[in-house]
Amino acid sequence: MKNITILFVLMFSLFSIGTFAQKRQDKHKLVFQFTNANDTIQQKAFTNQLNNLTAHWPKAKYEVVVYNMGLEYLMLTKSKHIAAIKALHAKGVRFVVCENTMKSRKITKEQLMSEVEFVPAGIAEVVEKQEQGWSYIKGGF
């Protein structure tokens, strides 16, 4: 009887650890700032970073805040990573674009991928996410 009790406790402990590890993965919330995408090497590096993280933590929350020169990364006529961005979006990665940047650079919503969302101010979005407990990462290298 004692051996059965020990076995039960051991099995319950292993199940609990596995469940905790799975739940812990759900708690990751990452906000990326991406501002300089004129360099296609930097775009590729950033795309690889996102692919690696979404493979490692598939249940985490991801948001990419794009402003300044980063808009080229999401522009239909300039991005070389449209298929990869669409695949990341399908995995739940949110891509949000700063409307202030759009106004100052005279870029319209129609020039951007349909997968993007819009925020009034990119920097404010990053700050608000950090205030909500999201981890901040500067995208690219």
Side-chain angles (χ1 to χ4, degrees):
M1 183 69 171
K2 186 176 181 181
N3 288 342
I4 292 174
T5 303
I6 292 171
L7 180 61
F8 177 75
V9 169
L10 180 61
M11 287 175 51
F12 180 77
S13 297
L14 290 173
F15 175 77
S16 297
I17 290 169
T19 302
F20 174 76
Q22 186 67 28
K23 286 182 181 177
R24 181 70 194 136
Q25 183 184 151
D26 295 348
K27 295 186 186 230
H28 293 292
K29 300 179 294 185
L30 301 113
V31 61
F32 295 83
Q33 169 196 23
F34 195 62
T35 60
N36 187 6
N38 273 339
D39 182 351
T40 57
I41 294 171
Q42 192 172 39
Q43 288 180 1
K44 184 177 181 179
F46 183 56
T47 303
N48 289 340
Q49 290 169 1
L50 289 171
N51 279 321
N52 291 340
L53 277 171
T54 57
H56 185 71
W57 289 323
K59 295 185 179 182
K61 291 183 180 179
Y62 301 93
E63 182 172 308
V64 178
V65 181
V66 181
Y67 59 95
N68 201 340
M69 299 307 291
L71 269 64
E72 277 73 7
Y73 183 60
L74 301 173
M75 291 180 74
L76 292 169
T77 59
K78 296 188 178 187
S79 179
K80 299 195 184 321
H81 303 281
I82 290 175
I85 293 166
K86 287 179 183 266
L88 287 163
H89 183 263
K91 291 181 183 180
V93 178
R94 290 182 66 216
F95 292 89
V96 299
V97 173
C98 173
E99 290 176 334
N100 286 334
T101 297
M102 291 175 63
K103 287 176 195 170
S104 69
R105 296 194 51 211
K106 297 177 177 49
I107 294 173
T108 65
K109 291 181 179 182
E110 293 74 29
Q111 292 175 279
L112 300 167
M113 298 175 59
S114 62
E115 288 76 13
V116 304
E117 299 172 49
F118 304 93
V119 294
I123 294 171
E125 178 72 6
V126 171
V127 170
E128 289 170 1
K129 289 295 183 193
Q130 288 179 294
E131 290 171 345
Q132 296 167 14
W134 289 59
S135 298
Y136 165 79
I137 301 171
K138 174 131 175 78
F141 43 70

